[in-house]
Structures are given as C-alpha cells and as structure tokens.
Amino acid sequence: MTRPKIFLMQGPNMNWLGKRQPELYGTTTAEQLDDLCRTHADETGYDLTIFYTNTEGVALDRLYQAVETNEIDGLVMNPAAWSMGSGAAMRDCLRSIAQPYIEVHIRNQYQMPHVSSTAELADAVIQGLGVDGYRAA
C-alpha cells in the first residue's frame, strides 16, 4: 500500500516565520515548523514534500511539476500574500489542480484587513490555530 503524498507549499515571507512579526505569527521558525510537519507525517503515515517560495511564478511552476510527476495526492498551502487579491495566477492554477487542497493560515483571516481570495477554491480552510493548524491540515 502506498503512502499518500502531501505537498506543502509555503508562500511569501513564510521562510521568515519566527523572525517576521513574531507578535502576530509567533516565534516558531520555518525550520521548526518543517520539523513539526515532518514528525507529523512520519507518525501519521504520509510522505511530505515542503517547498518555500516568495515568487508566485516559481510556485506555479512547482505545483504544475508536482502534478505532472504524480508526486502530489493532496496540497496544503499557506498562500500568505497571494491570498490578498494579487494572486490571480495562483487562483487559476488552483482551479486546474484536481487534487484536494487545504488552505492554512496561522492567523484568523477575519481579524485582518483582507480575507483570503484563494480560500473559496479550497476543500477546507484552517486558520487561527497558529502553527498547530498545519497538523490539522
């Protein structure tokens, strides 16, 4: 039996997690979050690929590649700034991916000036749970 393959895409500024606005996003670093997610994958029984990029075009290319090479059974993504209306290309990409998509946000989007414009394309949205939201996703 093959293990499910989950692709975790981290959007703009997520590589600075723990350093950028810790009063809003917490002190867990990107490296610590990666360790938490990998541990969860090992304990729960799925393969995990983690990819960070600050560039939308690079993200699109990588997502399409993951689909074409069959390395993705499900997508978990924190679209970060791509969810604030500037992510039209990301929205189009998400529409073309058949695999389940779960969007995760560390903060509650309804406490921010902009609510995610990509959330309507997700099968589920997990928000406001801090980094624990990644385990739930």
Side-chain angles (χ1 to χ4, degrees), residues 16 30 33 35 69 91 109:
W16 272 76
L33 177 57
D35 289 343
T69 59
R91 289 175 53 80
Q109 293 286 289

Side-chain angles (χ1 to χ4, degrees), residues 45-109:
Y46 60 92
D47 294 331
L48 179 66
T49 300
I50 303 172
F51 185 75
Y52 285 80
T53 183
N54 292 310
T55 308
E56 188 175 21
V58 171
L60 301 178
D61 289 342
R62 186 62 183 97
L63 282 174
Y64 286 131
Q65 177 189 22
V67 170
E68 287 178 350
T69 59
N70 196 32
E71 64 180 291
I72 178 174
D73 292 318
L75 170 64
V76 174
M77 179 171 63
N78 186 331
W82 298 326
S83 69
M84 292 188 226
S86 63
M90 180 59 72
R91 289 175 53 80
D92 286 344
C93 176
L94 291 171
R95 281 188 190 100
S96 68
I97 294 176
Q99 290 80 356
Y101 163 47
I102 298 178
E103 186 165 305
V104 63
H105 295 279
I106 292 172
R107 294 180 57 202
N108 179 348
Q109 293 286 289

Side-chain angles (χ1 to χ4, degrees), residues 6-10 46 63 72-80 94 97-105 116 118-127 129 132-137:
I6 304 300
F7 191 89
L8 172 57
M9 173 73 68
Q10 296 282 40
Y46 60 92
L63 282 174
I72 178 174
D73 292 318
L75 170 64
V76 174
M77 179 171 63
N78 186 331
L94 291 171
I97 294 176
Q99 290 80 356
Y101 163 47
I102 298 178
E103 186 165 305
V104 63
H105 295 279
S116 175
T118 52
E120 70 179 89
L121 302 170
D123 294 286
V125 178
I126 299 171
Q127 59 181 328
L129 299 177
D132 289 332
Y134 285 84
R135 280 191 284 238

Side-chain angles (χ1 to χ4, degrees), residues 19-41:
K19 303 171 190 171
R20 179 182 161 266
Q21 295 178 285
E23 69 281 4
L24 297 177
Y25 300 102
T27 58
T28 302
T29 66
E31 294 79 15
Q32 291 168 329
L33 177 57
D34 291 353
D35 289 343
L36 179 136
C37 291
R38 286 188 183 106
T39 298
H40 186 268

